[in-house]
C-alpha cells in the first residue's frame, strides 16, 4: 500500500502515538512515510498535538497542481 501511494505521488505522513510500541512497528511506520521527515513518534498527548500542528502547517503550504 505504501509503495503504491508513493508511486501515485501521494504524501504519506505516519504517526506512532502511544508508548510501548516495538521498534519493529516503528520501523514499519517510518518506511511507509514518504520521507523520514513525515514519520513521527508522539507518545504523549502534548506531542501528538504538536505533530498534528506541524503537519497542518506543512499541508497549508502545498499548492494544487494540474
Amino acid at each position: 500500500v505504501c509503495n503504491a501511494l508513493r508511486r501515485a505521488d501521494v504524501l504519506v505522513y505516519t504517526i506512532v502515538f502511544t508508548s510501548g510500541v516495538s521498534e519493529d512497528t516503528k520501523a514499519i511506520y517510518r518506511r511507509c512515510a514518504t520521507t523520514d521527515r513525515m514519520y513521527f513518534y508522539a507518545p504523549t498527548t502534548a506531542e501528538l498535538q504538536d505533530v498534528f500542528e506541524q503537519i497542518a502547517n506543512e499541508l497549508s503550504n502545498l499548492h494544487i497542481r494540474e
Side-chain angles (χ1 to χ4, degrees), residues 1-2 5-6 10-14 29 32-35 38-39:
V1 171
C2 299
L5 291 170
R6 271 194 227 98
V10 174
L11 297 177
V12 177
Y13 289 84
T14 61
Y29 278 79
C32 190
T34 301
T35 68
M38 294 178 168
Y39 161 79

Side-chain angles (χ1 to χ4, degrees), residues 32-56:
C32 190
T34 301
T35 68
D36 287 342
R37 287 186 49 246
M38 294 178 168
Y39 161 79
F40 298 91
Y41 176 59
T44 68
T45 301
E47 288 170 305
L48 184 60
Q49 289 171 331
D50 289 343
V51 165
F52 278 121
E53 185 174 321
Q54 182 178 341
I55 292 170

Side-chain angles (χ1 to χ4, degrees), residues 11-29:
L11 297 177
V12 177
Y13 289 84
T14 61
I15 306 168
V16 176
F17 59 89
T18 185
S19 61
V21 175
S22 73
E23 291 303 315
D24 289 340
T25 299
K26 290 177 189 176
I28 291 168
Y29 278 79

